[in-house]
Each structure stands twice: as C-alpha cells, then as structure tokens.
Amino acid sequence: MQHLDPDRLVLLALSEEQQDTGESDHLAQCAGCRHDLSALREVADLGAEGGDLRDLPNPPEHVWQAIEESISASAARTAETAPVIDLAHRRDRRDRPARQRRPRWLAPVLSAAAAAVVAVAGTLAITGLLDRPPTETETVTAQATLAPLPTVPASASGSVEVLSDGFMRIDVRNLPLTTGFHEVWLLDPDNPTRMVSIGNLPNRSTVELPVPTGTDMNRYSLVDISDEPHDGDSTHSGSSLLRGTLTS
Amino acid sequence: MSSDDELAERLRNGDEKALRTAYDRHGAAVLYLAQRLLGNRADAEDVTQLTFVAAWTGRDTFDPGRGTVLGWLLGIARRKAVDRLRSAQRDVRTTETVRAQLTPADEPESPERVVDRLVVADELGRLPDEQRRTLELAFFDDLTHPQIAAVTGLPLGTVKSHIRRGMANLRRRWEVDGAAFGSRQAGPTRAL
C-alpha cells in the first residue's frame, strides 16, 4: 500500500489540489494518512485564520503595574512561610528609589495591648516593691519558642521572654556561625515586610534588649533572628535563622 | 533576545525581570485571548493581570518539557477567563436577567480555538524567514505553490520544501501547545 507523499498531503491540506480517486480510496483505508491530512488541514485553517494576530497591540502599562503590585503584596503575604526568598527578593528591589526600604519604626501609638502591659507593669512594680526584692519585680508578659527555619541546622534554637519592664530577654543556642552579626526583629505576621528592629545579639547566649516604647506587641508578634552581613544596609537581610510567635 | 528555554529557566529561578520579558513577549497574545473570550476590555485586562500574577506564583509548576511559555500562559489565561465567564453567568442567572436571552450573541469562538490560533501564529512568526514568507503567501494571500514561486523567485521545489517543513513545524507546535492536546490541562498548573 502506497502512502500519500508528504508534499501531496500538504497540497491537499491547503486545498490547492483535489484528491484523485486512488488517493480517496487510500485515505478511506489508511488511518495514518487520514490523521496526517486532518491535522495538516487543521493547522492550515488555524494558520489562515491568524492573519490578524501578527501585530497584536501590547497591553497598556497600567496592567503591568498592577501585576507588579500584586506580586509585591503576595510576596509579603507568603513571607512567613518562605521568608528567606521573599525578604531577599525585596532587598533585590533596592534599586527602585520610590519604594520604602527601611523598616518602619512605628509611630508611638499605644495600643490597648501595650497599655495593658504598662498597667500590669505598674501594678507589679508596686506589688513588687511591697513584696519582693527589686530584681524579681520583672514579670514575663509574653514568650516565644524560637525554631530554626528549614535552611538552618536543626540544633539551632532559642526562646524569648517579653518582660514587663519593656525589655526582651533573648536566649539563643547553636546559631550558625556568621561573618556578620545576628539581629533581632519583631515582624507583623500579617505583613512580614513590616518589622521593628530590636537590636543585635552580642556574643553570648542570653541578652536583654529594650523594645521600642509604644511598639504594638499584638501586631508585631513574630520574633525573627536574622543573619546580617556587614554591608551597611540596615534593612533585614532576608536571611532568617530562627522564628517564633509571641504568646502571653 | 533570549530563547524560550532561557526565559523559562530564569522564571523558575525567580528572576522578576524574566516575568517582564514574558509579559513583553506574550502579554499581547494573553490580552487578545482574554478579550476574545470575555468581550470587554476591562475584564480582559483584569484577566491578563491575573494570568501573569498566577504565572509568577506558580512558576515552579511550569514544565518546559510539556510546552512553551506561551502555551503555558495561554492555558492559565483561558482558565481565568472561563472562570470569570462562569461567575458572570451565575450573576446573570441569579439576577434573572432574561433580556440577555432575547438578544442571542453570535456563537463565540471556542477558547480552545483562539488558543490554537495564537499558538500557530506564534510559531509562524518563529519560522526561518523563507519558510514563514512562503506560508504567509499561502495562508493570507491564498497563493498556490507555483504562484508563490513566481512571486518570490524561488524554485518551485524550494517552495514545496519550505511549505512542507513549515507546515510540519506548525503542526508539531500545535500538538505540543494547542488547547486540544493538553496533558497540560490535567497537570499541576490546573490549580492556577
């Protein structure tokens, strides 16, 4: 059985020539040639209908701007689950001057929670003065267990206690060695690009650092320890080591 | 201009500039598809936006072995547009807008058909110059092989082989990226 020649199939597909009876007989029997002819016909039709697709107008620039904004927003939303990539990604965008790059230090608005902390602290200070030596007046108002991120050795760990006197006690163990330094942040878990820098960790396991007055601990409830290179850039490096959520 | 493979690689590596390149290269086709399916410009632009955002967040699911970047983007856009059509139809039903039934629209082209046209047109644009030129004369000017030979000055045998190879290239691309063949449609990008 003689199959149809490829050139012939193309001519038939383009309807440039008509099939003769021998070809019709063959096509009736040969599924392969029938399939080839029908595929080529379809392609020829699709090609012929594509005349108006050659110079399609580009979408307007505001569509791209909306895409960029959505991507930034979703990067921020997913930063908690994929913090290393997303925060690093934001840092990569430093060349855009219009974007806010520095962590925003919150306006010192006392939230209800912070007010409560102050109230409790006040009460405790008084009761402490009455009942206890001054060194024991501090009370833990919130705490967090810090767990290593996936890229960090599992032996790394830490804990944080927020004290009623406005300090955070940070205790870390087995942090990976760094050529830079370790910095402590409080992140807004709903928008992890919003963060408050608490300070850097000296070379010992336990340290107490002051929380900026007025920080809304309900909002900035995610403790983050990062590895910061000595690059003079005060923003988060994107390299998070430990994280944990504060609970009271 | 980087190749499709290189673009795919950069996308998968999270290079945001690669998304812009994909947008510059294929945004017009995505917008065209959306506009054909939805019939209005504002919705089409929304779907274009949704498509590229979904492509970015789902870039890990793009498998270059299963098709081109354009095929993948059009697959996403088609689903986004169809979703929007369905929800619009639900709205119509719930508000019982009967008037729409009194003025039946022309039978719209199927989403698959629009995708296939875009894919074939894209491949046509990528063919070597002489292959592309001869096919354009056959498709758009409806010229026969001998007429094409006369117009281009190419020998008839050369015209034949250009057209045969060009058609084979279009067919291959259509079978990889076309909406009718789509292992892709059942794949992980379905969730986008």
Side-chain angles (χ1 to χ4, degrees):
Chain A
M1 186 165 71
Q2 182 72 44
H3 290 294
L4 294 188
D5 174 73
D7 281 333
R8 185 71 192 152
L9 280 172
V10 167
L11 285 171
L12 295 176
L14 290 169
S15 302
E16 195 169 319
E17 293 179 14
Q18 302 302 312
Q19 56 202 48
D20 61 32
T21 47
E23 288 166 341
S24 298
D25 289 350
H26 176 75
L27 284 166
Q29 297 164 23
C30 178
C33 284
R34 234 178 12 248
H35 174 73
D36 281 346
L37 179 57
S38 101
L40 288 169
R41 275 207 173 117
E42 186 71 12
V43 167
D45 288 347
L46 289 167
E49 289 167 20
D52 59 338
L53 303 179
R54 278 178 292 182
D55 291 303
L56 293 175
N58 287 319
E61 193 59 24
H62 69 82
V63 173
W64 173 254
Q65 283 159 10
I67 292 167
E68 265 197 322
E69 280 163 25
S70 295
I71 287 171
S72 307
S74 76
R77 272 199 306 280
T78 55
E80 189 175 0
T81 49
V84 177
I85 293 165
D86 284 303
L87 288 171
H89 154 85
R90 283 190 70 85
R91 176 172 265 209
D92 284 342
R93 297 163 56 120
R94 271 182 305 197
D95 47 336
R96 266 171 243 172
R99 285 186 189 272
Q100 182 180 348
R101 305 199 308 252
R102 301 189 172 280
R104 177 184 290 171
W105 290 73
L106 281 185
V109 175
L110 270 180
S111 72
V117 167
V118 171
V120 170
T123 313
L124 286 169
I126 293 164
T127 53
L129 280 173
L130 295 173
D131 304 341
R132 300 179 201 171
T135 49
E136 293 179 23
T137 57
E138 69 188 21
T139 300
V140 175
T141 60
Q143 55 201 335
T145 302
L146 302 181
L149 279 106
T151 53
V152 176
S155 61
S157 65
S159 62
V160 169
E161 293 172 333
V162 179
L163 307 175
S164 56
D165 59 2
F167 277 74
M168 274 174 68
R169 180 182 299 141
I170 300 137
D171 184 10
V172 292
R173 286 173 294 277
N174 302 325
L175 282 185
L177 291 174
T178 175
T179 54
F181 59 97
H182 296 129
E183 187 163 357
V184 185
W185 308 81
L186 288 178
L187 275 60
D188 176 356
D190 294 329
N191 185 358
T193 60
R194 293 278 170 261
M195 62 189 87
V196 179
S197 171
I198 302 302
N200 65 80
L201 291 179
N203 206 2
R204 59 176 189 269
S205 69
T206 303
V207 63
E208 287 181 14
L209 297 171
V211 178
T213 308
T215 302
D216 180 348
M217 305 297 284
N218 271 0
R219 179 178 175 194
Y220 295 90
S221 59
L222 185 62
V223 181
D224 175 288
I225 312 286
S226 70
D227 185 358
E228 296 292 327
H230 286 290
D231 60 359
D233 184 336
S234 63
T235 61
H236 195 295
S237 66
S239 174
S240 292
L241 304 174
L242 299 175
R243 280 197 177 169
T245 301
L246 287 170
T247 52
S248 50
Chain B
M1 174 159 140
S2 63
S3 73
D4 199 66
D5 286 348
E6 188 191 328
L7 177 62
E9 180 70 23
R10 284 167 53 210
L11 257 184
R12 288 171 63 86
N13 289 338
D15 178 354
E16 211 174 297
K17 289 198 191 78
L19 186 72
R20 176 71 209 212
T21 305
Y23 178 83
D24 288 341
R25 215 175 271 179
H26 303 308
V30 168
L31 179 64
Y32 175 86
L33 173 64
Q35 177 124 24
R36 287 291 300 192
L37 300 185
L38 296 168
N40 86 75
R41 178 76 183 191
D43 281 354
E45 289 183 1
D46 279 358
V47 163
T48 302
Q49 178 198 336
L50 291 173
T51 298
F52 281 91
V53 171
W56 177 252
T57 52
R59 58 193 183 276
D60 289 345
T61 65
F62 173 63
D63 179 357
R66 300 228 310 262
T68 62
V69 172
L70 175 64
W72 177 60
L73 289 170
L74 292 178
I76 298 171
R78 182 161 60 92
R79 289 191 293 274
K80 297 284 180 204
V82 168
D83 285 351
R84 181 160 292 218
L85 276 177
R86 286 198 185 122
S87 82
Q89 279 160 3
R90 270 197 302 275
D91 292 347
V92 167
R93 274 200 301 277
T94 51
T95 54
E96 293 180 320
T97 308
V98 188
R99 197 168 24 175
Q101 296 168 347
L102 300 176
T103 52
D106 295 339
E107 186 60 36
E109 194 179 16
S110 80
E112 291 75 16
R113 184 89 189 164
V114 186
V115 168
D116 287 358
R117 282 203 293 128
L118 285 164
V119 163
V120 169
D122 183 69
E123 186 63 23
L124 183 63
R126 295 188 194 203
L127 293 180
D129 277 351
E130 282 191 357
Q131 270 184 33
R132 180 178 49 75
R133 185 74 193 120
T134 50
L135 276 180
E136 283 175 348
L137 290 168
F139 288 162
F140 307 136
D141 299 290
D142 224 5
L143 298 189
T144 63
H145 284 44
Q147 289 169 330
I148 293 169
V151 167
T152 58
L154 295 168
L156 182 59
T158 307
V159 170
K160 270 190 177 171
S161 88
H162 279 329
I163 290 188
R164 188 186 68 243
R165 288 184 191 154
M167 287 290 286
N169 285 328
L170 296 188
R171 178 184 174 184
R172 198 174 307 122
R173 175 72 186 282
W174 174 57
E175 289 178 350
V176 169
D177 271 341
F181 296 87
S183 53
R184 176 184 305 105
Q185 273 71 42
T189 54
R190 187 71 190 87
L192 301 177

